[in-house]
Amino acid sequence: MRKLKIFKYYYLLWLYVILMSMTSCYRVVVKVDNIPGNTPQGDPLYITGNFNNWDPGDEKYRMTLQPDSSYIVTLPSGFGEIEYKFTRGDWRAVEKDVCGYDISNRRLVLGEADTVTNIILSWNDQHPLNCPRITLVVKDLPDNTPADARIAIAGNFNSWIPDAESFLQHDKAGYYHITLEKQQGIDEVDYKITRGDLSTSETDLYGNDIPVRKLHFGERDTVQVIVQNWKDLALMSPHKVMIILTNIPENTPPGGDIYLVSNLNGWDPGDRNYLMTKNADGTYSKSIPTQEKTMEFKFTRGDWSTVEVDSYGFDILNRTLDLSEPVKEQLTISNWKDLTRERKDQVTIILTALPEQTPKNARIYITGNLNSWDSGDSDYELMKTATGEYSIKLTRRWGLLEFKFTRGTWQKVEIDRYGNDIPNRIYQYKDIDTLFLSVDNWKDIGGSDDAGVTMILRSIPPNTPSGDDFYLTADFNNWQPGSSKYKFRKNENGHYSLTIPRLDASMEYKITRGSWRTVEVEENGSEKPNRGFTFGFSDTVYIDVLKWRDMGGTY
């Protein structure tokens, strides 16, 4: 009998171990069948939860894209309940509900299913695409709005007659808001803001009717607007500034709108209150009331990707207009940012003078951001003219032209007349047609073989502590920041100077006050590149220290 009990005990124990083993080895595949249409192409997808300490970008839980465009990941074996969410790598890109609001943690119980399928409705950093509602917020009303006014929305969804459900709620922040539910088959709503009916509807600053506003379901969950004036309360200004567009680019899409965007409307590029009126003669106009203000402005076709640019396609400075006196301002638009065609205009660079010691028939190159800083690129070799000058023609591009001249290698790059490395030459392509330049010296062609150099601190930051010492730290002294051998001494002129013999063809160096904590930095506080000097060109170097690391710099 006792043996039978022992047998039963071990049998049950064995069965329990087997069952626990089967449960603890259970694995589940989590699958995402669908993601929002505005998910950035190529972004990875992660699952995060209580199984990885809620790390939103844990590479062990990066989901795998399948041929059918779904994503899968296999969770670790175990048992019990798992909580999880999906991200694109950090919490700023966590999943949200269909209208962009937080969702509760997802849950699954290991062992209930082999595969768990999910759908992601929206992302925290992207506008929800399928939200069946929109919240309209009126952020500001005209100063003459009656204190007891009730603000309503009139539109095609209520036959332009506000009903009891069309009035906006007034919140503690002073804003008015209403949430509209999407109706079957309606993706867009036309509307205006009123104080109860269309006779009290909103207008522009001058009391003129404004174009019908539009709400588009599926683009964003909240829209904010500003009411500038009321039709029944508008005060007309006797003086106006008239802005007239007399000419626009030939490739402007026919029938398209043009907007004035300025500091008067918060730089909203598609504000229909600032829609330009197209006249019968083909011009566009907009009147602005006179006021004690300077207007900064530009023109767009509805968003910043369509803003006006110059004839080369480059951004332009804001236009300005004094609104204190009535005036008629006639303007033209040269180009649109999204419709600019690359011009084939060329920039010519001419070297009018080279160092006397430049070898006869030397080959001169331009190197810079135009050719990935290739110091001997044959496509960017300057040609010698009949007058002995060197020149090259470059295709005009966008943005900055940054470059130097070489004789084919970085050991033969140009330097200044003192033998110092020079900053890159920088120009805006749009600002130049022809550049006349000269080279002072070449790095590989020095002067006297035994000439040393006296280094003089011409200026130091005004907040430099009184009584501090200054040191040269360089490649030739193993970058010791406080070597007494290379300490600057105060001369009879009150400047600090240090004379060193020629130790090599060139050197790299910086100035310190005795340690790396007190080394010089750039004027903005960032790390300063090593200074460079080539011996033999000059016996004196003047140094301006802009800022110290411990006196306003960054580490």
Side-chain angles (χ1 to χ4, degrees):
M1 190 69 173
R2 189 169 186 276
K3 289 183 178 180
L4 181 60
K5 288 182 178 180
I6 293 174
F7 173 79
K8 288 182 177 180
Y9 172 81
Y10 281 108
Y11 174 80
L12 291 174
L13 180 61
W14 172 80
L15 184 60
Y16 175 80
V17 170
I18 292 297
L19 290 174
M20 289 300 295
S21 175
M22 291 175 62
T23 302
S24 63
C25 291
Y26 195 87
R27 300 172 71 88
V28 63
V29 174
V30 177
K31 181 179 182 182
V32 173
D33 264 350
N34 193 36
I35 61 175
N38 59 353
T39 303
Q41 188 173 4
D43 270 16
L45 198 63
Y46 298 84
I47 185 172
T48 180
N50 56 1
F51 51 84
N52 73 338
N53 293 321
W54 294 99
D55 181 350
D58 189 342
E59 286 299 322
K60 295 195 297 291
Y61 295 100
R62 179 169 175 165
M63 305 188 74
T64 304
L65 180 62
Q66 302 300 298
D68 64 355
S69 297
S70 66
Y71 291 79
I72 65 169
V73 67
T74 302
L75 296 183
S77 59
F79 60 92
E81 185 177 71
I82 284 180
E83 295 186 21
Y84 65 100
K85 282 184 178 177
F86 299 105
T87 79
R88 300 200 324 279
D90 62 58
W91 289 113
R92 290 171 298 180
V94 69
E95 62 173 326
K96 297 288 183 176
D97 73 5
V98 69
C99 287
Y101 297 105
D102 289 339
I103 61 174
S104 301
N105 296 336
R106 297 178 184 264
R107 288 180 166 82
L108 65 85
V109 177
L110 290 171
E112 288 187 347
D114 294 330
T115 302
V116 176
T117 303
N118 305 266
I119 294 175
I120 298 174
L121 299 174
S122 73
W123 297 112
N124 182 58
D125 61 336
Q126 304 289 329
H127 289 301
L129 296 179
N130 301 303
C131 182
R133 65 186 69 90
I134 296 179
T135 297
L136 175 68
V137 179
V138 177
K139 290 188 62 178
D140 199 16
L141 295 173
D143 292 339
N144 61 350
T145 303
D148 59 350
R150 297 183 65 198
I151 309 303
I153 181 173
N156 56 356
F157 62 94
N158 60 9
S159 301
W160 296 96
I161 302 174
D163 53 24
E165 297 181 353
S166 302
F167 285 90
L168 282 65
Q169 300 296 315
H170 195 196
D171 61 28
K172 294 180 180 179
Y175 298 158
Y176 289 82
H177 60 86
I178 188 172
T179 298
L180 302 177
E181 299 289 337
K182 181 178 179 181
Q183 298 178 15
Q184 185 69 28
I186 297 179
D187 294 323
E188 182 180 88
V189 169
D190 294 342
Y191 75 100
K192 283 187 179 181
I193 305 299
T194 77
R195 298 197 329 278
D197 58 61
L198 290 179
S199 67
T200 61
S201 67
E202 60 178 324
T203 66
D204 66 13
L205 282 173
Y206 333 116
N208 302 316
D209 285 336
I210 64 171
V212 171
R213 297 183 185 267
K214 294 181 181 293
L215 287 177
H216 301 275
F217 287 98
E219 288 188 354
R220 59 184 63 197
D221 63 323
T222 304
V223 173
Q224 298 180 340
V225 299
I226 294 174
V227 175
Q228 296 186 322
N229 218 334
W230 300 113
K231 178 178 286 188
D232 60 324
L233 301 175
L235 298 175
M236 295 295 292
S237 171
H239 302 292
K240 294 182 180 180
V241 174
M242 180 66 70
I243 297 176
I244 301 175
L245 280 175
T246 59
N247 192 37
I248 62 175
E250 293 181 359
N251 60 352
T252 302
D257 293 331
I258 296 178
Y259 298 82
L260 185 148
V261 52
S262 77
N263 57 332
L264 299 184
N265 73 337
W267 296 100
D268 182 348
D271 185 348
R272 297 190 68 81
N273 291 322
Y274 285 81
L275 179 67
M276 302 287 290
T277 299
K278 188 171 184 180
N279 305 310
D281 60 359
T283 63
Y284 290 78
S285 63
K286 183 68 178 176
S287 61
I288 308 288
T290 56
Q291 49 195 294
E292 295 299 322
K293 184 178 290 187
T294 296
M295 180 174 69
E296 295 186 34
F297 66 102
K298 287 181 179 178
F299 297 102
T300 77
R301 298 199 327 279
D303 59 64
W304 285 111
S305 67
T306 63
V307 69
E308 62 172 325
V309 291
D310 69 12
S311 58
Y312 299 111
F314 297 109
D315 290 335
I316 62 173
L317 297 175
N318 294 337
R319 300 176 185 262
T320 60
L321 184 61
D322 183 0
L323 300 179
S324 61
E325 296 290 339
V327 69
K328 181 181 289 186
E329 189 80 2
Q330 296 187 337
L331 304 170
T332 64
I333 295 175
S334 299
N335 220 333
W336 298 113
K337 191 165 193 172
D338 62 322
L339 300 177
T340 301
R341 296 177 180 174
E342 184 179 356
R343 292 181 53 138
K344 299 302 180 183
D345 297 22
Q346 292 182 313
V347 172
T348 301
I349 297 178
I350 300 174
L351 278 178
T352 60
L354 295 173
E356 291 182 4
Q357 65 271 35
T358 302
K360 188 177 181 180
N361 297 323
R363 302 179 72 173
I364 313 297
Y365 301 84
I366 185 172
T367 177
N369 59 353
L370 72 174
N371 70 342
S372 300
W373 296 95
D374 185 340
S375 60
D377 189 342
S378 59
D379 290 336
Y380 291 90
E381 181 180 357
L382 281 72
M383 296 295 105
K384 195 169 185 178
T385 67
T387 60
E389 298 173 333
Y390 286 80
S391 71
I392 188 170
K393 291 184 181 294
L394 304 175
T395 299
R396 190 185 299 278
R397 304 184 184 189
W398 293 69
L400 291 176
L401 169 61
E402 189 171 354
F403 65 97
K404 285 182 179 176
F405 296 106
T406 78
R407 298 197 335 277
T409 69
W410 284 108
Q411 289 72 36
K412 299 178 181 180
V413 70
E414 62 173 323
I415 53 179
D416 71 13
R417 63 192 181 95
Y418 300 112
N420 299 311
D421 291 336
I422 62 173
N424 298 333
R425 302 175 186 262
I426 300 177
Y427 298 89
Q428 280 275 4
Y429 276 103
K430 67 175 184 176
D431 294 337
I432 53 175
D433 292 312
T434 304
L435 282 177
F436 295 95
L437 303 172
S438 62
V439 173
D440 291 326
N441 271 317
W442 298 112
K443 191 163 192 173
D444 63 317
I445 306 176
S448 170
D449 290 338
D450 57 0
V453 63
T454 297
M455 314 188 86
I456 297 176
L457 293 182
R458 180 165 52 189
S459 65
I460 58 177
N463 63 346
T464 303
S466 176
D468 274 13
D469 295 322
F470 307 101
Y471 299 84
L472 178 80
T473 178
D475 52 4
F476 61 76
N477 75 341
N478 295 319
W479 296 102
Q480 298 179 46
S483 173
S484 59
K485 185 177 179 180
Y486 296 103
K487 177 181 174 181
F488 285 80
R489 310 291 177 181
K490 202 168 189 178
N491 59 30
E492 62 275 10
N493 296 323
H495 291 115
Y496 288 85
S497 64
L498 172 66
T499 299
I500 58 175
R502 177 171 180 156
L503 303 170
D504 204 341
S506 62
M507 68 174 179
E508 293 187 2
Y509 67 97
K510 286 183 178 179
I511 309 300
T512 81
R513 299 198 331 274
S515 69
W516 285 110
R517 187 176 65 85
T518 61
V519 71
E520 62 175 324
V521 293
E522 296 284 14
E523 190 170 16
N524 64 4
S526 63
E527 190 74 18
K528 183 178 184 63
N530 295 336
R531 296 178 183 267
F533 176 77
T534 302
F535 287 93
F537 294 96
S538 174
D539 59 2
T540 306
V541 171
Y542 294 93
I543 300 169
D544 298 305
V545 177
L546 302 175
K547 186 172 286 189
W548 303 111
R549 176 178 278 175
D550 64 326
M551 306 291 291
T554 56
Y555 288 85

